[in-house]
Amino acid sequence: MALIVQKYGGTSVGSVERIQTVAERVQATVQAGNSVVVVVSAMGKTTDSLVKLAGEISSQPSRREMDMLLSTGEQVSIALLTMALQERGQAAVSMTGAQVGIVTEARHSHARILRIETKRVQRCLDQGQVVVVAGFQGISDAPDLEITTLGRGGSDTSAVALAASLQADACEIYTDVPGILTTDPRLVPSAQLMNDITCDEMLELASLGAKVLHPRAVEIARNYGVTLVVRSSWTQDPGTRVTAPSRQPRPLEGLELVHPVDAIEFDTNQAKVALLRVPDRPGIAAQLFGTVAQQDLNVDLIIQSINEGNFNDIAFTVEKDVLPQATTLASSLTPSLRGAADDGDTVALVTDTQIAKVSIAGAGMIGRPGVAAKMFSTLAAAGVNIQMIATSEVKVSCTIATEDCDRTIAALCDAFDLNQSPARLDTTTTVTGPAVRGVALDRNQARLALRHVPDQPGMAAKLFQVLADRGISVDMIIQAQRCRERNGIQTRDIAFTVAQADADMASDVLQSLATEFGSSELVLDKAIAKVSAVGIGMITEPGTAAKMFQALADSNINIQMIATSEIKISCVVAEDNGIDALKAVHAAFGLAGSQEIEVPA
């Protein structure tokens, strides 16, 4: 007999008829020989109605009282669903987050789960009852026992956390879409259903499709080996399976506060190729990496910095043994990249074999602003200068001088309290999966650039720690390849993206830092969009980046920034080009299908 945790969203329990349908599905799962825990959200638009009521009473209601108010929505759902099950002759009991033992931080409106005390739930399951749990809520530790809510995606988080704590066989997320789609079907109607996706891919595609899974839920699934299945509430179709690594022994105490970084990785078999002062026009990246792909050369990191006038710098890394070939290819392109420029030295080629890539990895980095800053501070304290930075939702990578590698690894293991041996990246590992599984668009980002930052250890740490102290999460980070002398000091530009809602605050915070750095200048651009392609198979398939860049070039879309990880390629483009860029990349990788999928508004 299997233990299944099922979660039903607000639309799935939005009316009496829909609650009856859910009760029928739950009972069928029990009759198939399973024990079942059901987590439900508030009915339909109940939460919106409660927020509106609060707004009519107070313009700034306290977070504590909002938690008291909003937690009532789920209590309506659990009581009605339990009644419906009992009417069908199915033994069931409803429980609030507090009753089920979901213990959280004492932070109202966005608490994280510390632990789940499962004895009561297990006792009810042993008695043959379905346990119907209020999602989105918990209770703080004694003595205060405050009712708390988990924030956006809280019911997903509740369900997966329960599945982890109970060591359930699977956690099924029921929603109003058929599963995880290759992109947002509201923007690209030809988006198709995925049969499966890995947790790492899902985390990288946190903004994918109809946003049916919250990153916090995926993080827990990845950390505790929970198999997730996303299915439609209205059909019996199998949906999409989100596969997690094998369940590893991990303490359940501090469930959502586990180490945000669970591995240090390094690779000393890397060499860098950088093209400096490349013309800033559509098609340049496609031309460069298309040529590289034709020779079957695997590229690891790709970084394109923000433009300076009409020029950009593009750098990439390859394995050392193919550096001569990569250098020859890049050299052969420089005349055509110069174009009609009068300056014969417009494009400069720089290579470096004395580099190492060091990465911190972990699903818990999402939503924790201080993780990257802590990495940079650790390197600064060790006297290590950062040459390149590449970020993703689950990894931050830096290239450093080879001679600094050992002390960097030791410092990072100490800083993040990791006692196991760091992992040397193994390029021989067999990888299964498409080069690109899905494409995502984020139109809610803004880009900031701090120009002329002194090229010294600790500068990136200071910059990102200031932002972390204000609770501002950073997404893409690009450090320019070219050093320029300013007032007798070597400097680099550092650009990064943040949520648009945080852009003005970030700008204000960094103004004082620009003054402290001396001649630094701050540039803010809110009219950007980020398009990303994600797939575990791109690790072993040369030319994936080139195909994406070519698709954008064919649509005459200029790339403003590029950042990559092992399984993700992200490009910043002008906001007006965002949807066209998404469509172009989705089509380029053959992700479109013949049958359109309808998604409720």
Side-chain angles (χ1 to χ4, degrees), residues 564-579:
T564 66
S565 71
E566 280 84 354
I567 64 171
K568 181 176 181 180
I569 304 163
S570 294
C571 297
V572 169
V573 300
E575 184 179 32
D576 292 345
N577 292 330
I579 294 176

Side-chain angles (χ1 to χ4, degrees), residues 3 99 132 157 196 288 306-307 309 313 339 384 435 476 510 527 569:
L3 172 58
Q99 290 171 321
V132 184
T157 304
D196 60 86
L288 171 61
I306 60 167
N307 65 309
D313 298 341
V384 176
M476 293 175 67
L510 292 181
I569 304 163

Side-chain angles (χ1 to χ4, degrees), residues 15-94:
S15 66
V16 170
E17 292 76 19
R18 290 183 175 183
I19 289 173
Q20 298 282 13
T21 300
V22 169
E24 181 181 357
R25 188 187 287 264
V26 172
Q27 186 178 42
T29 306
V30 175
Q31 291 174 344
N34 302 298
S35 295
V36 182
V37 175
V38 183
V39 177
V40 294
S41 300
M43 294 176 65
K45 301 293 184 181
T46 298
T47 301
D48 293 340
S49 299
L50 292 173
V51 170
K52 183 179 178 182
L53 280 174
E56 293 174 359
I57 295 292
S58 170
S59 59
Q60 290 186 316
S62 74
R63 289 186 172 183
R64 180 186 186 278
E65 300 312 322
M66 286 301 293
D67 278 1
M68 293 290 283
L69 176 66
L70 297 182
S71 62
T72 64
E74 280 71 21
Q75 292 181 47
V76 174
S77 300
I78 60 174
L80 292 175
L81 178 55
T82 302
M83 292 175 193
L85 285 165
Q86 292 170 347
E87 283 295 304
R88 300 179 68 87
Q90 173 61 54
V93 60
S94 64

